[in-house]
Amino acid sequence: MRHRAAYVAFDRFPSSKGSAVHIAQMADELFDRYGGGLLGAIGGGDLPRYQREGTREIARFDAQIPNLIDRAEAFSGWVADHLAPHWETLEVCHVRDPWSALPAVADGRRHKVVYEVNGLPSIEMSHTWPWAAPSTLGKIRELERFCLERSDAIVVPSRVIGGAVRERGVPEDRIHLVPNGADVPRETERPADAPERYVVYVGAMQPWQGLDVLMRAFARLADLPELRLVVCASVPERRAKPVRRLAERLGVAERIDWRFTLPHHEVAAWLAHAAVSLAPLTGCARNLDQGCAPLKVIESMAAGVPVVASDLPAVRELMADGEHGRLVPADRPAELARAVRVLLEYPDEAAAMGRRGREHIEEGLTWARSRARLAEVYRTLDR
């Protein structure tokens, strides 16, 4: 098969992470428009290297390379090899990172490149890979700049990330806001093993997610012995060891229920029946300078659950304090605990916030609206 479209991401797909939900929606829009295409992503484990679904093909990179930079460089070479057979027919290549973008923006291309910036590795890696040399991060920043300059359209999920892209010299008219979305779920059955009363955290375990702040906040709610914390982690259990050790030191481990790598529909059920959903993002450069677009906040509102989240610019793009939940200063366990306590003490008002949150999603943050915005980006490339 020779494809007109390709979507490439240095992410595992599918997976239980929010990025996989986003990839599925964006790739569906691309392939619906161009009659199928090639999806290149990270594989491994029990995922096949190759699969075909009608006019769509999925190829997965599964080389086991421990060093992140070496793995990213090898992925770029793999992407180049997989794009080569489609070079003459390709019209659009949609990428999510510089490792995917580099082969797509090569000289001699006939296709357009849409670079979807959900994060900037030059900023993120200083948090996930703290031993990275400044010179290495500088080279990655140059790679980002090179790929951004040579891309035809830049897609960002938040205005804050858009600002970070502008600071790298990208003209305003090439930056398109396509926010994350959610599908408002139907009524879901309460999980069979759900506690009677619980607050919930959904997502990954990177330092910028603020799990340490959450554990310290939960320790301040020890006078509510019936209240439990459910953590729906999108990563394997072994990745939670540092946070679980902290929970033990704080004396809250026995009040926490852990669920790992659940399917998306099961996570939705845990959200729907929670008293409060928590997004304790830290006030680090990754969340402030680069920005973020936390899917957990959108999906919590879609489920009709009030949200307590860190008061960051990117979060304020999604929800309003006192309207859809509460925004609290980042990195302040006492403030986080206090906001949760107030919502628990006033359940009618909390329920009203949840209803307003669901309406907010229905009015402007559904996947259908996000896909319509992305479709408009593709239409601009055809003009």
Side-chain angles (χ1 to χ4, degrees), residues 331-347:
D331 308 302
R332 301 280 288 276
E335 296 289 341
L336 182 63
R338 186 176 300 114
V340 171
R341 189 183 295 277
V342 169
L343 290 183
L344 294 175
E345 289 178 353
Y346 296 92

Side-chain angles (χ1 to χ4, degrees), residues 160-172:
V160 177
I161 295 179
V165 169
R166 281 194 300 275
E167 288 180 0
R168 280 159 168 71
V170 177
E172 181 76 34

